[in-house]
Amino acid sequence: MNKSFQKIRNLTPAQAIAGYYFAAISISFILLRLPGVHQQGVEIPLIDTLFTAISAVSVTGLTVINISETYTVFGIVLIMFILQLGGIGIMSIGTFFWLLLGKRIGLRERQLIMVDHNQLSMSGVVKLIRNIISILLLIELVGAVILTLYFMQYYDTFSEALLQGVFASVTATTNGGFDITGASLVPYFNDYFVQVITMLLIILGAIGFPVLIELKEFISNKDKTFRFSLFTKITVSMFGILLAVGTLGILALESFKAFKGLSWHETLFAAIFHSVSSRSGGLVTFDITQFDEATNVFMSVLMFIGASPSSAGGGIRTTTLAIAILFLINFARSKNTIQIFSREIQLIDVFRSYAVIILATGMVIVSTMILFITEPEASAIEIIFEITSAFGTCGMSLGITDDLSSVGKFTIMVLMFIGRVGLISFLFTIGGKPDPTKFHYPKERVIIG
Amino acid sequence: MNKSFQKIRNLTPAQAIAGYYFAAISISFILLRLPGVHQQGVEIPLIDTLFTAISAVSVTGLTVINISETYTVFGIVLIMFILQLGGIGIMSIGTFFWLLLGKRIGLRERQLIMVDHNQLSMSGVVKLIRNIISILLLIELVGAVILTLYFMQYYDTFSEALLQGVFASVTATTNGGFDITGASLVPYFNDYFVQVITMLLIILGAIGFPVLIELKEFISNKDKTFRFSLFTKITVSMFGILLAVGTLGILALESFKAFKGLSWHETLFAAIFHSVSSRSGGLVTFDITQFDEATNVFMSVLMFIGASPSSAGGGIRTTTLAIAILFLINFARSKNTIQIFSREIQLIDVFRSYAVIILATGMVIVSTMILFITEPEASAIEIIFEITSAFGTCGMSLGITDDLSSVGKFTIMVLMFIGRVGLISFLFTIGGKPDPTKFHYPKERVIIG
Ligand SMILES: [K+]
Ligand SMILES: [K+]
């Protein structure tokens, strides 16, 4: 007993993170097999329950089953709970319980949280976790109240409007991508109010907790010396650029194709919504299988990039792309430092971004090759879209999820898991103990590119 | 006059390289408009001549016209000459002429050659150039003699066999990708002798000049202390790995699809040949439009990687990929140095590989988006294949080249040009003068991936 506790103590923070997520998936799996979870007469295979559990914990939203036709209200409430575990982060939940129990947070626990949200300063972690939970629950609550009241016009009973409103708020804020309408947000294609609220919630969930916390401090205006961190400046800028590029790209590719015959405002909203959703939200207002293959490839690239670190989103993350681009510009100019927003980027962060990009690209290529072989019925584009959607924990699909073979399902599950854990944590988990170089070989140059 | 000479002197080596290639394309364009070049009654638009000139100088082999139906024997001889310019490198040809004229090679000229083939040691450049030209002409000569004699069984006259044999040897060795059969090597699908000779020539052209020179020194066994360079070890290993992965991948994807009904040796040779050709050769023995879309995507990845630096091939190059992978492994192990083959990789080469990968990926994505918009008739996969084939100066096509719009043709031309010049040279050309940092901002960490 004491020995196994000792073993846990010896895990690296990154290994512990992966272990916690693994535990959350196991618990979610058991919860989703409880009696009363499934509607009468519905039976689903164990692998599909596992798929749903991983999809919910990783807040991806890819599903092999139809949620509204499979689960009871009890089951749907459980899924919302699991989305909270994934969206807000098991680490912060765990810490929250430590706080509730009156225990002081130890160094080891601080370290765990530090890696999970990649926070780099050790101080203020406790405050941070409290902030994360309170801010996100507040956002979800406001969203749920607005949507429930608004949904009264759509649904006959208050309880039905409440269920729909709460679920819509939770799935948007946690970037969960699940739906209980049976058709994502397609029924609200002409309801711009629902779309605007949903987009706001998705962005708040995907922009990164540190941004929300700094925004709160900025608005409260207590600290006169307050300035936004470099992280916030970079991620918000990149997030905005990606939203703009996504919207313009979808407009250019679909205005005269899938959007032909739509009014200008329908076209504009459809383009903006799917650009926002491709960051990691995963909800759709339009039958995206009607999009051109070119648009599918374009959205695959957007999903691969994903959202901010320390958010409910996945992908390589906005900051990784930003640093890669900044590095390239400075390299071409033969500059030996990368400067942005009057700050200097550190070498270790350049290395991290390189590692994330190589590993992510390699994983996506290998997974794509696996599905190319195991899913002969699916088209190449459908597979590429599914893979990037899983890795970006986005959850949009061209409809092949429920036809996947067992190997295909396992591949997607692994991608969703790694996409949520984050590549840096994953890398240090598989990388094992640090192995410092003991001696040096002579250096020798190599011809590159 | 003196002033413009001064201007040329002030160019950076990288800018001069790009300038020389630009000049070679202009000369090739003029040559291909000479009287007697086109067959009687054939007229082709100027943009198509430009396309052919760039395709030949960059030894890509994508064509908007059918060579054997467009050009006279004189025209075909000119194309072979242009392939030499591109394949062996304008820099070495230029230096060769300097040597012929009895002039001593100056520092500036050495620098030019250094960057073109990315050679890092200044000494022995003159010897290097002599070696490049003599080795490659020797390889081409041997190939031409063997193929001409062998082709006597296929063609009625010696002069026809000679033309076919010489052209086949030149296009294979320079990795030119052009053909005068009108159907690449499809007529030789069952002739394994032609295929083996062609594959050997392609590999010799794509493995990198330094490898050939070291191999020659190793075989001649004059220097008892000789050892293969780190570059040679890395690029040959990676080249071999890519050939094996390519062959296995094509076998896995097509054995029961496009290759269904073929004998085991036909299947094996088809897989090996297209794996070799995807390094940069560009010739095919099989109608690749019959391949599955999954295989097209797989081959696109292979073409994007490309061949060795300092070779007739393009792409991001083998060493770039090798260093990226080595970097990733060492990063995961928290090692602070990258060691391979008892040598240490330098930081600048890690940076170079990162810059090449980011720039190449960005260029391919942007070009793909352009063609998605300008080529509504082509499928997404056909466009991705065409783009990576141009960037890798490979020259395989799913058949959309001659249907491209003008914007599409220009995009492909730019990619072929940059693919041949090489991204490092291109980067320093557009990057302008070095701009060293004058003062430092405070450093600040950012959350990555
Ligand atoms: K999602
Ligand atoms: K080629």
Side-chain angles (χ1 to χ4, degrees):
Chain A
M1 197 61 191
N2 217 358
K3 219 173 181 181
S4 65
F5 184 76
Q6 193 62 37
K7 262 185 187 166
I8 293 173
R9 284 258 150 197
N10 283 338
L11 292 175
T12 65
Q15 285 170 329
I17 301 279
Y20 270 106
Y21 274 105
F22 190 77
I25 288 166
S26 308
I27 293 165
S28 303
F29 176 78
I30 294 166
L31 289 179
L32 291 177
R33 296 303 294 188
L34 287 181
V37 160
H38 299 106
Q39 290 178 21
Q40 227 164 8
V42 174
E43 268 187 57
I44 69 167
L46 289 174
I47 187 173
D48 289 356
T49 303
L50 182 62
F51 195 98
T52 308
I54 294 179
S55 186
V57 168
S58 67
V59 286
T60 303
L62 288 172
T63 47
V64 285
I65 42 131
N66 184 316
I67 301 292
S68 58
E69 290 172 6
T70 307
Y71 293 103
T72 58
V73 172
F74 172 53
I76 290 170
V77 170
L78 283 182
I79 288 175
M80 284 194 272
F81 171 71
I82 298 170
L83 288 176
Q84 302 291 351
L85 284 187
I88 298 186
I90 295 158
M91 290 309 101
S92 45
I93 298 279
T95 319
F96 185 63
F97 285 131
W98 274 74
L99 292 173
L100 269 189
L101 292 170
K103 287 185 183 160
R104 283 204 53 204
I105 265 191
L107 185 68
R108 177 136 201 100
E109 286 67 41
R110 283 169 190 258
Q111 270 184 331
L112 282 175
I113 300 150
M114 191 184 77
V115 175
D116 187 30
H117 294 123
N118 255 325
Q119 278 300 125
L120 299 161
S121 134
M122 294 280 276
S123 62
V125 170
V126 176
K127 200 180 137 213
L128 175 79
I129 298 296
R130 273 213 197 94
N131 271 327
I132 290 173
I133 298 179
S134 61
I135 289 175
L136 277 184
L137 289 182
L138 184 68
I139 291 170
E140 286 182 352
L141 183 69
V142 172
V145 169
I146 293 173
L147 287 173
T148 299
L149 292 177
Y150 188 79
F151 279 163
M152 302 277 282
Q153 61 179 301
Y154 284 109
Y155 300 96
D156 294 335
T157 63
F158 174 74
S159 62
E160 180 66 14
L162 179 69
L163 183 68
Q164 291 285 345
V166 172
F167 194 90
S169 177
V170 169
T171 198
T173 312
T174 61
N175 278 239
F178 283 83
D179 68 83
I180 52 170
T181 65
S184 199
L185 291 192
V186 175
Y188 306 110
F189 179 69
N190 283 298
D191 192 326
Y192 301 143
F193 181 78
V194 172
Q195 290 180 37
V196 168
I197 297 294
T198 303
M199 285 192 281
L200 281 177
L201 294 176
I202 287 177
I203 291 172
L204 288 173
I207 197 81
F209 298 133
V211 177
L212 299 182
I213 290 165
E214 288 184 22
L215 212 58
K216 194 185 142 198
E217 282 183 39
F218 177 73
I219 292 168
S220 74
N221 200 22
K222 277 178 199 155
D223 181 1
K224 297 295 175 194
T225 63
F226 174 82
R227 70 162 194 91
F228 284 107
S229 69
L230 181 61
F231 166 75
T232 289
K233 286 174 185 163
I234 289 180
T235 198
V236 170
S237 310
M238 190 44 98
F239 207 97
I241 291 169
L242 287 171
L243 288 189
V245 168
T247 303
L248 293 175
I250 294 171
L251 280 178
L253 290 167
E254 295 297 349
S255 282
F256 302 102
K257 290 192 165 182
F259 295 159
K260 206 177 171 179
L262 298 184
S263 68
W264 68 265
H265 46 88
E266 285 172 325
T267 301
L268 188 64
F269 263 90
I272 295 174
F273 190 88
H274 294 96
S275 174
V276 169
S277 201
S278 68
R279 294 275 48 70
S280 145
L283 297 167
V284 296
T285 61
F286 190 86
D287 175 11
I288 60 169
T289 61
Q290 287 185 35
F291 280 163
D292 201 77
E293 288 196 331
T295 314
N296 296 333
V297 173
F298 178 62
M299 289 174 75
S300 297
V301 173
L302 291 177
M303 293 191 293
F304 178 76
I305 297 167
S308 302
S310 301
S311 80
I316 62 167
R317 325 276 159 143
T318 50
T319 46
T320 305
L321 178 64
I323 294 214
I325 294 170
L326 291 172
F327 165 76
L328 183 63
I329 293 168
N330 282 273
F331 183 82
R333 287 187 183 160
S334 301
K335 280 198 171 187
N336 46 7
T337 60
I338 305 178
Q339 299 177 341
I340 181 91
F341 295 124
S342 305
R343 284 289 180 280
E344 223 171 274
I345 305 286
Q346 290 196 35
L347 199 56
I348 181 67
D349 287 331
V350 174
F351 285 145
R352 281 185 165 224
S353 70
Y354 190 15
V356 165
I357 287 172
I358 297 301
L359 183 62
T361 307
M363 271 187 5
V364 164
I365 289 174
V366 170
S367 319
T368 302
M369 285 299 297
I370 292 172
L371 264 65
F372 276 171
I373 293 167
T374 63
E375 320 297 323
E377 300 297 316
S379 82
I381 299 284
E382 284 170 338
I383 289 173
I384 292 170
F385 195 88
E386 192 83 5
I387 293 280
T388 50
S389 179
F391 172 70
T393 68
C394 181
M396 287 192 256
S397 173
L398 296 174
I400 64 167
T401 321
D402 42 1
D403 298 322
L404 289 176
S405 67
S406 296
V407 176
K409 283 179 187 171
F410 274 111
T411 308
I412 295 293
M413 285 190 244
V414 169
L415 280 172
M416 293 192 291
F417 181 74
I418 296 172
R420 186 69 200 104
V421 167
L423 284 173
I424 287 291
S425 293
F426 176 69
L427 205 57
F428 289 125
T429 308
I430 56 163
K433 296 248 160 75
D435 177 16
T437 308
K438 301 216 172 42
F439 58 96
H440 288 267
Y441 286 115
K443 292 188 179 183
E444 183 171 339
R445 294 288 310 264
V446 172
I447 314 172
I448 301 286
Chain B
M1 195 63 191
N2 216 359
K3 218 174 183 182
S4 65
F5 184 76
Q6 193 62 40
K7 262 187 189 166
I8 291 172
R9 285 257 151 198
N10 283 337
L11 290 176
T12 65
Q15 285 169 331
I17 301 278
Y20 269 106
Y21 274 105
F22 190 77
I25 288 166
S26 309
I27 293 164
S28 303
F29 176 78
I30 293 167
L31 288 178
L32 291 178
R33 296 304 294 188
L34 287 181
V37 159
H38 298 107
Q39 290 178 23
Q40 228 165 6
V42 174
E43 268 187 55
I44 68 168
L46 289 174
I47 186 173
D48 288 357
T49 303
L50 182 63
F51 196 98
T52 309
I54 294 179
S55 185
V57 168
S58 66
V59 288
T60 303
L62 288 172
T63 47
V64 285
I65 43 130
N66 185 316
I67 300 294
S68 58
E69 290 172 6
T70 307
Y71 292 104
T72 59
V73 172
F74 173 53
I76 290 170
V77 170
L78 285 181
I79 288 175
M80 283 194 273
F81 171 71
I82 299 170
L83 287 177
Q84 303 290 352
L85 284 187
I88 299 186
I90 297 158
M91 290 309 100
S92 45
I93 297 279
T95 318
F96 184 64
F97 284 133
W98 273 76
L99 292 173
L100 270 189
L101 292 170
K103 286 187 185 158
R104 285 203 51 204
I105 265 193
L107 185 68
R108 178 136 201 100
E109 285 68 40
R110 283 170 190 259
Q111 269 187 331
L112 281 175
I113 300 151
M114 191 183 76
V115 175
D116 187 28
H117 295 123
N118 254 326
Q119 279 299 125
L120 300 161
S121 135
M122 292 281 276
S123 62
V125 169
V126 175
K127 202 181 136 214
L128 175 80
I129 298 296
R130 273 213 198 96
N131 271 327
I132 289 172
I133 296 178
S134 60
I135 289 176
L136 276 184
L137 288 183
L138 184 69
I139 291 171
E140 285 182 352
L141 184 67
V142 172
V145 169
I146 293 172
L147 288 173
T148 300
L149 293 176
Y150 188 79
F151 279 162
M152 302 277 283
Q153 61 180 300
Y154 284 108
Y155 299 97
D156 295 335
T157 64
F158 174 74
S159 61
E160 179 66 12
L162 180 68
L163 183 67
Q164 291 284 346
V166 172
F167 194 90
S169 178
V170 169
T171 197
T173 311
T174 61
N175 278 241
F178 282 84
D179 68 84
I180 53 170
T181 64
S184 199
L185 291 193
V186 176
Y188 307 110
F189 179 68
N190 284 298
D191 191 327
Y192 301 144
F193 181 78
V194 172
Q195 289 180 37
V196 168
I197 297 294
T198 303
M199 284 192 281
L200 281 176
L201 295 176
I202 288 177
I203 291 172
L204 288 173
I207 197 81
F209 298 134
V211 177
L212 299 182
I213 289 165
E214 289 185 23
L215 214 57
K216 194 184 142 198
E217 282 182 39
F218 176 71
I219 291 167
S220 71
N221 200 23
K222 276 179 201 154
D223 182 1
K224 296 294 174 196
T225 63
F226 174 82
R227 69 162 195 89
F228 286 106
S229 68
L230 182 61
F231 167 74
T232 289
K233 286 174 186 166
I234 289 180
T235 197
V236 170
S237 310
M238 189 45 97
F239 207 97
I241 291 169
L242 287 171
L243 289 189
V245 169
T247 303
L248 293 176
I250 295 171
L251 280 179
L253 291 167
E254 295 298 347
S255 282
F256 302 102
K257 290 193 166 180
F259 294 160
K260 206 177 172 180
L262 297 184
S263 68
W264 68 266
H265 47 86
E266 286 173 324
T267 301
L268 188 64
F269 263 89
I272 295 174
F273 191 89
H274 294 96
S275 174
V276 170
S277 202
S278 68
R279 294 274 49 68
S280 148
L283 297 168
V284 295
T285 60
F286 190 87
D287 175 11
I288 59 169
T289 60
Q290 287 185 34
F291 280 162
D292 201 77
E293 289 195 330
T295 315
N296 298 333
V297 173
F298 178 60
M299 290 174 74
S300 297
V301 173
L302 291 177
M303 295 190 292
F304 177 76
I305 297 168
S308 300
S310 300
S311 80
I316 61 167
R317 325 275 159 144
T318 50
T319 45
T320 306
L321 179 64
I323 294 212
I325 293 170
L326 290 173
F327 164 76
L328 183 64
I329 293 168
N330 281 273
F331 183 82
R333 287 187 184 160
S334 302
K335 280 196 172 190
N336 45 8
T337 59
I338 304 178
Q339 300 177 343
I340 182 91
F341 295 124
S342 304
R343 284 291 178 280
E344 223 173 274
I345 304 287
Q346 289 196 35
L347 199 57
I348 181 68
D349 288 330
V350 174
F351 285 145
R352 282 184 165 225
S353 69
Y354 191 15
V356 166
I357 288 173
I358 297 302
L359 184 61
T361 308
M363 272 186 4
V364 164
I365 289 174
V366 170
S367 318
T368 302
M369 284 301 296
I370 292 172
L371 264 67
F372 276 171
I373 293 166
T374 63
E375 320 298 323
E377 300 298 314
S379 82
I381 299 285
E382 285 169 339
I383 288 173
I384 292 171
F385 194 88
E386 192 83 5
I387 293 279
T388 50
S389 178
F391 171 71
T393 68
C394 181
M396 287 191 257
S397 173
L398 296 175
I400 65 168
T401 321
D402 43 359
D403 297 323
L404 289 175
S405 67
S406 297
V407 177
K409 283 178 186 170
F410 274 112
T411 307
I412 296 293
M413 285 190 245
V414 169
L415 279 174
M416 292 192 292
F417 181 74
I418 296 172
R420 184 73 202 101
V421 168
L423 283 172
I424 286 291
S425 294
F426 176 71
L427 203 58
F428 288 126
T429 309
I430 57 163
K433 296 249 161 71
D435 178 15
T437 308
K438 302 218 172 39
F439 59 96
H440 288 267
Y441 286 115
K443 292 188 179 184
E444 185 170 340
R445 295 287 311 265
V446 171
I447 314 172
I448 302 286

